[in-house]
Amino acid sequence: MARSQLGIAVAVQILVMSVWFAAAAAVPSLKADWGISSGAAGWLTTAVQIGFVFGALGAGLLNLADRVPVGPLVFGAGALAALSTAAVPLLAGGLVPALPLRFLTGVALAGVYPVVVRQVVSWFGGSRALAMGALLGALTLGSGLPHLVGAFGDLPWRTVLLVTASMAGLGALAALRLRLGPFKAPAAHFHPGYLTQMFRDRRQRDVNFGYFGHMWELYAFWAWIPAFLAAARPATSEAGLALAAFVVIGVAGGIGCLLAGVAARRRSAIAAARLALLTSAACCAISPLAYAAPLVLLGAVAIVWGAAVIADSPMFSAALSVAADRRYVGTALTLQMAIGFSITAIAIRVLPLIADAVGWRWTFLALLPGPALALVALRGGADAGVAAGPEDLLERGVDARNHPSEKHVAESHRD
């Protein structure tokens, strides 16, 4: 039953998350049709990020994950994401009317990604690291899927959005089969006031600053790696660039998540996060050299970066779920996510402005402070109390259903 539920969850994540970067994948066609710049087109992705923040906070305040069964909740959110995406090519004739629709897509996705994470956590004990790696790999694959759609020829942007909206609709239907498992957490209310306590505690503060640095890099990289590759190899067709972006974001990112799950199971969440951050920081630093390097070297750096940039994502959630006050783990994770996605909105906006000033060759250097800050935050005390996480407890024979820390992790993914 657990494996079948994981399979459904993976399918839902891949299909529904395809709408996240649907507009980003169609930027060249959108720019030509609407007569807008790359920076203006970037607002279509920024609107999704801001919508996700509002959706996550709203779901936490309303306690939706405990009031609505998981299947109907994800179905409704997925259907809303599909409809709001389809409405852009069907109803919006320009950037301004498209922005509120993309905002609504972000709100809807906040009812899919965190809820499905909680659903998977409720089914797995000792093999949770691998299950979470598979789920985050699915999110990554889904985020890159619009680029794969674009790889089937120089498709009009309307076609790309309608195809991904259809995928999201199928994912919403599949979500009706989702059920919570035996490790589900008891209901807990969202407490925004916990924010001050979370940042007074050094362990939680270090983990959060690590996560925030990671988020500065992640979504800006996903949003603008197609533009970076296009500038580096301008003779490449749009279909070829779309396929390259899918490999970097979807395929490499999915593999990175699975490898991180294995590494966390063998060592610790913080150790796996450090390795991913070191790798992505190195890729940031050499990005100007890779830009001008032969194609094989540029591709190798992009693929390694695509794997590393997402690999640490579930590690920070796992670490915070152990470090936080056990009464407010759900609140801690919701606040971490809301702040982190707010940072992504800023990073996505900043990069095209830098590119306009200095060119894409040097632009990705602006991402380097993210993993650098994260590594500084994790340099010492972050390991205390979080390196030996719930996975380690399970492997030592502790009953997951009775150990408080295990309950915390299940609770933490509720919002």
Side-chain angles (χ1 to χ4, degrees):
M1 187 67 172
R3 289 183 180 179
S4 65
Q5 283 291 307
L6 176 60
I8 296 169
V10 164
V12 170
Q13 288 281 68
I14 291 174
L15 293 169
V16 178
M17 290 299 154
S18 67
V19 302
W20 199 312
F21 286 96
V27 162
S29 179
L30 270 170
K31 287 167 59 180
D33 196 359
W34 287 354
I36 57 177
S37 66
S38 295
W43 277 108
L44 294 168
T45 301
T46 303
V48 178
Q49 308 301 108
I50 297 172
F52 188 93
V53 172
F54 278 84
L57 291 174
L61 288 168
L62 296 174
N63 209 23
L64 290 182
D66 288 314
R67 292 182 176 182
V68 183
V70 62
L73 176 58
V74 178
F75 166 76
L80 179 59
L83 291 172
S84 58
T85 300
V88 175
L90 296 177
L91 301 177
L95 180 64
V96 173
L99 289 177
L101 293 172
R102 295 303 288 161
F103 174 87
L104 188 58
T105 299
V107 172
L109 291 176
V112 178
Y113 166 43
V115 178
V116 174
V117 169
R118 182 217 183 189
Q119 183 267 342
V120 169
V121 165
S122 74
W123 281 103
F124 288 89
S127 57
R128 175 171 296 164
L130 290 176
M132 289 304 299
L135 189 63
L136 266 292
L139 178 146
T140 306
L141 186 61
S143 297
L145 208 54
H147 296 288
L148 181 61
V149 174
F152 287 97
D154 297 335
L155 298 178
W157 67 268
R158 289 181 175 83
T159 302
V160 175
L161 266 69
L162 288 173
V163 169
T164 54
S166 300
M167 292 177 180
L170 292 174
L173 290 173
L176 289 171
R177 297 181 59 193
L178 291 174
R179 302 289 185 273
L180 289 177
F183 298 109
K184 66 179 180 180
H189 294 289
F190 180 63
H191 299 281
Y194 181 72
L195 180 67
T196 56
Q197 180 179 337
M198 186 169 69
F199 281 99
R200 282 198 303 263
D201 177 66
R202 180 182 175 183
R203 290 181 302 158
Q204 296 180 69
R205 185 173 64 247
D206 288 351
V207 169
N208 276 312
F209 278 124
Y211 176 78
F212 299 153
H214 151 77
M215 291 296 274
W216 173 262
E217 179 189 21
L218 174 60
Y219 279 87
F221 174 82
W222 277 358
W224 296 113
I225 187 61
F228 178 87
L229 295 175
R233 292 294 182 273
T236 307
S237 68
E238 286 188 19
L241 289 169
L243 181 59
F246 171 72
V247 171
V248 171
I249 297 171
V251 178
I255 293 172
C257 288
L258 291 173
L259 292 176
V262 173
R265 185 175 174 83
R266 292 180 177 177
R267 298 186 64 188
S268 73
I270 293 298
R274 280 200 188 104
L275 178 59
L277 288 165
L278 280 169
T279 305
S280 62
C283 291
C284 279
I286 66 172
S287 60
L289 298 177
Y291 182 96
L295 180 60
V296 64
L297 292 178
L298 171 62
V301 171
I303 288 171
V304 171
W305 199 354
V309 74
I310 181 63
D312 50 348
S313 193
M315 304 304 129
F316 289 111
S317 296
L320 184 62
S321 69
V322 179
D325 186 323
R326 67 187 183 91
R327 297 168 298 173
Y328 303 117
V329 175
T331 294
L333 267 293
T334 301
L335 291 171
Q336 182 195 61
M337 185 179 297
I339 297 171
F341 275 87
S342 299
I343 291 171
T344 69
I346 299 171
I348 289 170
R349 295 302 313 141
V350 166
L351 255 63
L353 300 178
I354 297 174
D356 288 342
V358 301
W360 279 107
R361 178 175 183 174
W362 308 100
T363 297
F364 275 0
L365 288 175
L367 297 180
L368 185 56
L373 171 65
L375 285 166
V376 170
L378 301 183
R379 69 190 183 281
D383 270 349
V386 299
E391 284 289 327
D392 304 307
L393 296 171
L394 288 164
E395 288 170 4
R396 296 186 196 121
V398 177
D399 187 344
R401 289 163 293 186
N402 295 327
H403 196 282
S405 295
E406 184 65 18
K407 292 181 181 180
H408 303 171
V409 176
E411 178 185 341
S412 72
H413 295 287
R414 175 178 43 78
D415 295 311

